[in-house]
Amino acid sequence: MATLKFTPLTTTLTDPHLTFTFNFKLRHLRTTQCPLNYARPRLPLFVSEPLRRLATAPTMAVIGDHRTVSSSMIPSQQEKLENSLSYSRAYWPSKSMIAWNVDIGNGSCFLYASKTAALAVTEAGIQGEDIKLELLEDPSGLPEEVTEKFPHIKSHRAFKLPPDIDANILLKCQLAVAAFSFNGVCRYATGLQIPGVLDELYAYDGPLGAIFSKTSIELYLWAPTAQDVRAFMYKNPFDSEPLEIVQLHEINGVWGAAGPSSWEGCYFVYEVTVYHYSTLQIEKCIANDPYARGLSADGKRTLVVNLDSDLLKPEDWDKLADEKPELLSFSDISLYELHIRDFSATDLTVHPDLRGGYLAFTCQDSAGMSHLRKLSIAGLTHVHLLPSFQFASVDDRRENWKHVDTKVLEKLPPDSEEQQAQITAIQNEDGYNWGYDPVLWGVPKGSYATTPNGACRTIEFRKMVQALNRIGLRVILDVVYNHVYGSGPSDEYSVLDKIVPGYYLRRDVDGHIENSTCCNNTASEHYMAERIIVDDLLCWAVKYKVDGFRFDLMGHIMKHTMVRAASQLRSLSKLSDGIEGSSIYIYGEGWDFGEVAKNGCGINASQLNLGGTGIGSFNDRIRDAVNGGSPFGDPLQQGFVTGLALQPNGCDHGGQANAERMLAISKDHIQVGMAANLRDFILTNCDGEQVKGSEITTYDGAPVAYAVNPIETVNYVSAHDNQTLFDIVSLKTPMEITVDERCRINHLATSIIALAQGVPFFHAGDEILRSKSLDRDSYNSSDWFNRLDFSYTFNNWGVGLPPKENNEANWPLYKPRLANASFKPQGCHIVAAVENFVSLLQIRYSSPLFRLRTAEDIQERIHFYNTGPCSVPGVILMSIVDGNAGIQGLCQLDSRYSLVVVVVNVRPDQASLTIPALQTRSLELHPLQVLSSDNIVKNSYFEPSSGCFSIPAKTTAVFVEPRQT
């Protein structure tokens, strides 16, 4: 998921204390597959009908981005009161107080509760209550522990509850508060948000889910607001009648029941009787277990599965911890992002029954596994798998999938609209999606298994992990804890919001679910929401022996959640848990936007907040500097490698002088990134000033550098979001350059990432010139646009215009490029690209100097030359110096080389530059480049007597100084 950009569309009605606001965030770039209505934003189902009519009324006049409403549409005070319980603008943050942003003056305030959800508002106040309690305003306001946890309500007034209340009874009821004037007229009323008091009274660290012993199985469900919970147990996944109905009993908010061991292999659902804020009714919610570890093929029932059963373990599974590839430091990591289906869906060397699934990774002689083995031997350490948990958008039953006739598509012109038309006609009924629409976090996705029922998905997932480990690759899971796909009491994909309505999902000041991530944002600031995230991570680490986690939209998760997760994962040991937790790496997208921006909901896990935690975050600064612009700007805007100022493509960069300035600034950003984006790294900027990395800023004034340790920076230039690297290069470079030049530029961009300090991240296919036919968002574009060809025959360029939904505006740019046969690489280009990528990996792992472990080492050993206002544009020269054993000063890290120099020349011509400080050094071209099949790089040379480097056009050359033997 990439950085997001929103256009707010707001409708506001106000009186002195009531504000009705609809803030719809329309995505310019869709980054997950939640079903947003782009023409007219959908209102939450729980918005009352008068306000629904108001928000969608055709009489609205548009002024800028704000809609004003004709006076005839403004509801009366009575209408506002009647619909006020559809909102939850008051908070119950602790047992002793209510927080509400109203001034009651010399009036009064009351809390109401109804076990049957019979509350209604009239001018006389709220009716239908079973309990009514007077609230007294506390002039001292909310205590610090409340405002620290809930900073968005720090300005709210505090109202004290009577000390003898029974919160256990109240929390199972419909709740509301009402404020009255001195003469008894009801002025304001609203529902309550209750996560704070639930955390205070019911935070729980005991067993949850299905717990197995030798003679019994116990079920535990945390549901403190539920009035009743039953489990419907079925012998088979699609039986119409339950085997038995089990009554659960509550102890302090946790419902439990014990049953026979024969439950193992059965399926069940919970029936939770609970008040739901979205319907204002007591609902009987049918839900899966939030701690489910298995599912039926239709995803509607939870499988009772014991992950510790020997029947679910591949041969030698318990020995896998001893077979894991060696990892001495997180600085040694390199990441390769791969979608499970992309890997093998079109690989003819894989058996048809296994294509697109877990078991394709067990086909050791397939083209895909041969390719991964090649990369592993060269040094690649980790494969990052896109979502592999249970997500909503693909039916797990393959027999239900629809298909297009690819033979027909192959005959169509490369710039035709027809391919995308046929693909999109069935795109929600085929077997493809990225999977960023989670339903249950702790269950492997059934569509990747050969059989989605039973425990097959568990066994096959484990075989996949085992197979990758055995070729030297550790496994990273892409986890999506920032949102869930379903909500409400009846949505088939809703789970958490059925069990404890209004708790797990983050709600805005009106009580509506926040959706800045795309839909149903989760609230890890709540104790049990954080707990289920951490428990889920531990399950994947211990039960599936995965080696790390990539967090989607990590900035929407609280920092304390990430720190707790890292701590608990790293405390795992091989002796007690069967896995070495100290080798588990976690990283994610630290974007700071939406309601969490600037710590709006607490200190969040954003880039600027994570320094010193050892948690990695994606470095979008180096991405944008290398490629040009951003994924949300002008698609033709050029960057450091794509021709900015040196090979103009016709894009308006503000004139040549401004383009040259942009090129110089881009170089600064890249150099900071190559120094692991360390905030305290000191370098000379393009103006000749000595500055820290954090003192170099982006276009909006944010610091470029934010990391404290090198492992906190994940450098990249492409990922699953947005165009592939080859497509970016093809779009931004001038139309008239050759495909040979574009291939070299692709390699240039990759080389910057491969040779930088920090953790390098590569999108699967960067190394084979992968194209998605310029699709900027291929989440639902089927196998056709997402194909990977590990036979190195074709790169998928020119397979039709990409899907209209997210690309149509740029079709006029795309058509002439896709139609131009000279843009399409041949097999020889792809083979050369693979060889060049392998060479880069080998060079990175040829010396520990490319993988420095501390900020101190990077500051002391790395120096950038050719800086300041008189530097040669388009050339980066970085040196990494080593110490010498037995000599005071820097310690020796590399037994072979005492000095390494990297020179990146993005110019269209040869670059020569003299560095007096390196004069007399015995530098020579890296042996791997001397032996390379790239004949151009072999023309790079260094003249010791003058300190002059000469580098061919569009080339990255690495020089080393061998130690004297």
Side-chain angles (χ1 to χ4, degrees):
M1 196 176 292
T3 314
L4 306 179
K5 190 173 185 178
F6 301 109
T7 298
L9 179 61
T10 306
T11 299
T12 303
L13 304 177
T14 62
D15 73 8
H17 296 102
L18 290 176
T19 300
F20 298 87
T21 300
F22 303 95
N23 189 15
F24 306 119
K25 297 167 181 176
L26 305 184
R27 305 192 104 163
H28 287 191
L29 174 64
R30 209 220 56 71
T31 56
T32 60
Q33 54 278 23
C34 299
L36 299 183
N37 183 332
Y38 288 83
R40 171 166 286 178
R42 297 189 307 174
L43 286 171
L45 294 177
F46 48 77
V47 172
S48 59
E49 187 56 33
L51 293 175
R52 182 182 299 279
R53 290 197 304 269
L54 175 61
T56 57
T59 57
M60 293 179 182
V62 179
I63 305 176
D65 278 339
H66 298 272
R67 294 189 175 191
T68 57
V69 185
S70 63
S71 58
S72 63
M73 294 298 296
I74 297 177
S76 67
Q77 178 69 14
Q78 181 59 32
E79 287 177 312
K80 292 177 185 179
L81 285 172
E82 287 175 358
N83 292 288
S84 59
L85 298 190
S86 296
Y87 300 88
S88 298
R89 294 186 171 119
Y91 298 77
W92 191 354
S94 69
K95 182 181 177 181
S96 63
M97 70 180 57
I98 300 293
W100 194 12
N101 195 26
V102 296
D103 181 2
I104 64 170
N106 59 354
S108 57
C109 188
F110 293 88
L111 170 70
Y112 300 82
S114 170
K115 188 175 182 180
T116 58
L119 298 182
V121 184
T122 69
E123 276 194 12
I126 293 181
Q127 299 179 348
E129 78 277 4
D130 299 309
I131 299 172
K132 178 180 178 181
L133 300 169
E134 185 171 9
L135 307 175
L136 300 178
E137 185 169 355
D138 185 347
S140 60
L142 297 172
E144 184 178 352
E145 61 268 22
V146 168
T147 57
E148 182 178 339
K149 183 172 182 178
F150 304 108
H152 56 290
I153 64 169
K154 62 185 178 183
S155 62
H156 284 36
R157 296 173 183 264
F159 295 87
K160 292 189 291 187
L161 284 154
D164 57 347
I165 63 166
D166 188 338
N168 301 315
I169 292 176
L170 291 173
L171 287 166
K172 296 182 185 299
C173 298
Q174 179 188 18
L175 298 172
V177 289
F180 296 83
S181 61
F182 71 94
N183 59 359
V185 175
C186 184
R187 296 172 61 204
Y188 316 117
T190 189
L192 266 69
Q193 298 189 40
I194 60 174
V197 69
L198 291 179
D199 282 351
E200 180 178 308
L201 298 179
Y202 296 107
Y204 169 75
D205 293 312
L208 290 170
I211 307 300
F212 294 80
S213 67
K214 290 183 179 180
T215 59
S216 67
I217 297 173
E218 296 174 328
L219 302 179
Y220 294 97
L221 180 71
W222 186 77
T225 62
Q227 297 181 359
D228 186 57
V229 178
R230 298 192 295 172
F232 288 67
M233 195 70 62
Y234 298 86
K235 182 66 177 176
N236 297 301
F238 302 114
D239 286 352
S240 57
E241 296 297 323
L243 185 68
E244 60 179 309
I245 300 174
V246 182
Q247 180 66 54
L248 277 71
H249 300 281
E250 182 188 13
I251 300 176
N252 197 32
V254 178
W255 297 78
S261 57
S262 60
W263 277 359
E264 186 171 358
C266 292
Y267 297 81
F268 74 97
V269 293
Y270 284 123
E271 178 196 73
V272 181
T273 303
V274 65
Y275 170 75
H276 208 287
Y277 63 94
S278 70
T279 61
L280 309 183
Q281 295 179 10
I282 305 297
E283 301 282 359
K284 288 187 179 294
C285 300
I286 304 301
N288 277 303
D289 185 350
Y291 277 73
R293 301 298 178 231
L295 285 171
S296 57
D298 62 0
K300 294 181 179 179
R301 293 177 182 173
T302 298
L303 173 66
V304 183
V305 58
N306 182 4
L307 298 183
D308 292 326
S309 169
D310 289 339
L311 297 176
L312 275 59
K313 297 177 181 178
E315 186 177 355
D316 293 330
W317 176 250
D318 290 330
K319 299 178 183 178
L320 186 59
D322 296 320
E323 298 178 25
K324 291 279 184 182
E326 184 180 55
L327 183 66
L328 299 178
S329 166
F330 289 151
S331 291
D332 294 331
I333 290 174
S334 50
L335 301 165
Y336 184 84
E337 183 195 43
L338 180 64
H339 185 270
I340 290 173
R341 184 164 179 83
D342 288 354
F343 175 66
S344 62
T346 58
D347 188 344
L348 300 181
T349 65
V350 174
H351 189 282
D353 293 343
L354 307 184
R355 290 176 197 162
Y358 301 127
L359 290 185
F361 292 91
T362 67
C363 301
Q364 292 298 315
D365 296 327
S366 71
M369 284 301 286
S370 297
H371 181 76
L372 290 183
R373 190 179 298 108
K374 181 186 300 182
L375 301 186
S376 172
I377 292 170
L380 188 73
T381 65
H382 287 66
V383 168
H384 155 176
L385 298 174
L386 264 66
S388 51
F389 49 75
Q390 186 66 18
F391 56 83
S393 48
V394 173
D395 192 326
D396 288 346
R397 297 160 292 187
R398 298 187 180 197
E399 62 271 21
N400 293 342
W401 297 351
K402 292 185 177 180
H403 305 271
V404 295
D405 187 343
T406 57
K407 294 186 183 301
V408 172
L409 301 187
E410 286 167 358
K411 296 176 182 178
L412 296 170
D415 61 338
S416 170
E417 298 179 25
E418 183 60 26
Q419 294 96 326
Q420 65 86 32
Q422 292 194 32
I423 293 298
T424 56
I426 63 162
Q427 65 180 0
N428 296 321
E429 299 171 272
D430 65 1
Y432 194 88
N433 203 285
W434 282 347
Y436 290 93
D437 50 346
V439 177
L440 283 161
W441 293 319
V443 182
K445 178 60 179 168
S447 65
Y448 296 139
T450 54
T451 302
N453 276 315
C456 182
R457 62 178 83 190
T458 294
I459 299 169
E460 293 182 3
F461 192 102
R462 287 171 165 173
K463 287 183 176 181
M464 173 184 68
V465 173
Q466 187 178 56
L468 285 166
N469 282 178
R470 286 178 171 173
I471 65 166
L473 294 171
R474 288 175 173 256
V475 177
I476 299 275
L477 295 193
D478 197 323
V479 289
V480 185
Y481 296 121
N482 64 83
H483 69 267
V484 291
Y485 190 67
S487 63
S490 56
D491 187 332
E492 67 173 299
Y493 298 116
S494 176
V495 178
L496 296 175
D497 203 40
K498 290 178 177 178
I499 304 299
V500 191
Y503 177 81
Y504 288 102
L505 305 183
R506 186 177 293 131
R507 298 162 71 189
D508 64 18
V509 293
D510 290 328
H512 303 156
I513 298 170
E514 294 279 9
N515 62 4
S516 55
T517 64
C518 81
C519 56
N520 303 317
N521 297 2
T522 54
S524 71
E525 58 270 26
H526 304 155
Y527 186 86
M528 296 302 288
E530 176 177 279
R531 183 190 159 177
I532 194 173
I533 291 171
V534 174
D535 286 350
D536 192 67
L537 292 166
L538 292 171
C539 178
W540 285 109
V542 173
K543 305 302 183 183
Y544 290 94
K545 302 187 187 299
V546 301
D547 305 290
F549 301 93
R550 176 266 190 194
F551 284 74
D552 180 69
L553 294 185
M554 179 174 63
H556 269 65
I557 300 172
M558 293 299 106
K559 178 181 177 179
H560 60 70
T561 303
M562 295 301 302
V563 170
R564 179 183 173 190
S567 175
Q568 294 205 21
L569 286 168
R570 290 168 188 169
S571 70
L572 299 173
S573 70
K574 193 187 303 184
L575 181 63
S576 60
D577 306 294
I579 196 76
E580 192 57 59
S582 62
S583 64
I584 293 176
Y585 182 58
I586 61 178
Y587 61 101
E589 295 177 311
W591 320 137
D592 192 37
F593 68 95
E595 74 282 0
V596 300
K598 298 180 180 178
N599 302 319
C601 297
I603 300 174
N604 62 322
S606 63
Q607 290 169 325
L608 300 183
N609 286 337
L610 286 175
T613 64
I615 296 168
S617 64
F618 284 97
N619 180 11
D620 53 335
R621 280 73 157 157
I622 199 170
R623 175 201 68 190
D624 293 346
V626 169
N627 295 337
S630 79
F632 314 101
D634 187 329
L636 296 183
Q637 185 173 333
Q638 293 176 287
F640 191 74
V641 305
T642 53
L644 179 62
L646 300 173
Q647 282 187 297
N649 64 359
C651 180
D652 181 6
H653 292 102
Q656 182 62 22
N658 194 60
E660 290 172 0
R661 176 67 178 171
M662 291 170 63
L663 180 66
I665 292 172
S666 295
K667 179 177 166 181
D668 282 350
H669 290 198
I670 293 168
Q671 289 177 154
V672 171
M674 293 183 77
N677 217 43
L678 296 173
R679 67 189 186 196
D680 292 329
F681 180 78
I682 298 173
L683 74 164
T684 302
N685 68 9
C686 60
D687 296 320
E689 302 165 336
Q690 291 276 300
V691 294
K692 292 181 178 180
S694 59
E695 294 171 338
I696 298 174
T697 59
T698 64
Y699 68 95
D700 59 355
V704 167
Y706 50 80
V708 172
N709 303 311
I711 61 170
E712 293 168 359
T713 293
V714 177
N715 283 318
Y716 76 116
V717 288
S718 69
H720 66 276
D721 279 317
N722 313 309
Q723 281 98 350
T724 66
L725 178 57
F726 181 82
D727 285 351
I728 290 168
V729 170
S730 298
L731 192 57
K732 292 178 180 290
T733 51
M735 288 279 289
E736 62 271 13
I737 71 170
T738 67
V739 69
D740 294 328
E741 289 179 273
R742 291 194 180 90
C743 293
R744 288 200 72 78
I745 293 169
N746 192 99
H747 181 60
L748 270 176
T750 302
S751 71
I752 291 172
I753 301 304
L755 302 176
Q757 302 294 322
V759 177
F761 174 101
F762 308 102
H763 179 218
D766 281 356
E767 77 284 7
I768 54 175
L769 308 177
R770 180 186 190 177
S771 172
K772 297 181 182 179
S773 208
L774 295 171
D775 193 346
R776 67 177 297 182
D777 189 16
S778 67
Y779 79 100
N780 200 17
S781 299
S782 84
D783 297 327
W784 180 256
F785 287 101
N786 287 285
R787 284 180 295 181
L788 279 169
D789 175 33
F790 293 120
S791 71
Y792 312 150
T793 304
F794 75 105
N795 78 328
N796 213 41
W797 172 268
V799 296
L801 284 165
K804 177 185 292 189
E805 179 187 14
N806 294 310
N807 297 280
E808 184 180 17
N810 289 319
W811 277 1
L813 292 176
Y814 296 172
K815 277 184 74 70
R817 289 166 171 81
L818 294 173
N820 189 333
S822 72
F823 275 71
K824 188 176 182 67
Q826 303 303 308
C828 60
H829 294 110
I830 298 170
V831 169
V834 174
E835 292 175 352
N836 284 334
F837 184 74
V838 166
S839 177
L840 285 174
L841 288 174
Q842 291 173 329
I843 290 171
R844 180 175 182 84
Y845 290 97
S846 70
S847 171
L849 297 177
F850 288 110
R851 310 184 311 281
L852 298 174
R853 298 182 182 182
T854 69
E856 292 74 21
D857 266 342
I858 290 174
Q859 183 64 68
E860 291 175 351
R861 297 170 186 269
I862 288 184
H863 187 79
F864 290 97
Y865 298 92
N866 188 44
T867 57
C870 297
S871 62
V872 177
V875 181
I876 292 173
L877 196 154
M878 176 180 73
S879 70
I880 316 172
V881 65
D882 199 13
N884 295 286
I887 299 178
Q888 191 173 3
L890 287 176
C891 63
Q892 180 177 316
L893 301 177
D894 192 333
S895 61
R896 287 192 292 178
Y897 305 128
S898 57
L899 176 66
V900 171
V901 175
V902 176
V903 188
V904 181
N905 176 21
V906 303
R907 299 178 60 83
D909 52 15
Q910 178 175 296
S912 296
L913 58 163
T914 298
I915 309 298
L918 298 178
Q919 206 169 345
T920 74
R921 298 303 295 254
S922 302
L923 289 166
E924 57 189 48
L925 194 63
H926 198 291
L928 288 165
Q929 290 192 317
V930 172
L931 298 173
S932 169
S933 59
D934 180 0
N935 291 321
I936 295 177
V937 74
K938 294 177 183 179
N939 293 322
S940 305
Y941 68 86
F942 172 71
E943 176 53 56
S945 62
S946 63
C948 180
F949 292 86
S950 182
I951 311 297
K954 297 187 183 349
T955 296
T956 295
V958 179
F959 296 87
V960 293
E961 182 178 65
R963 291 189 182 278
Q964 300 298 318
T965 55

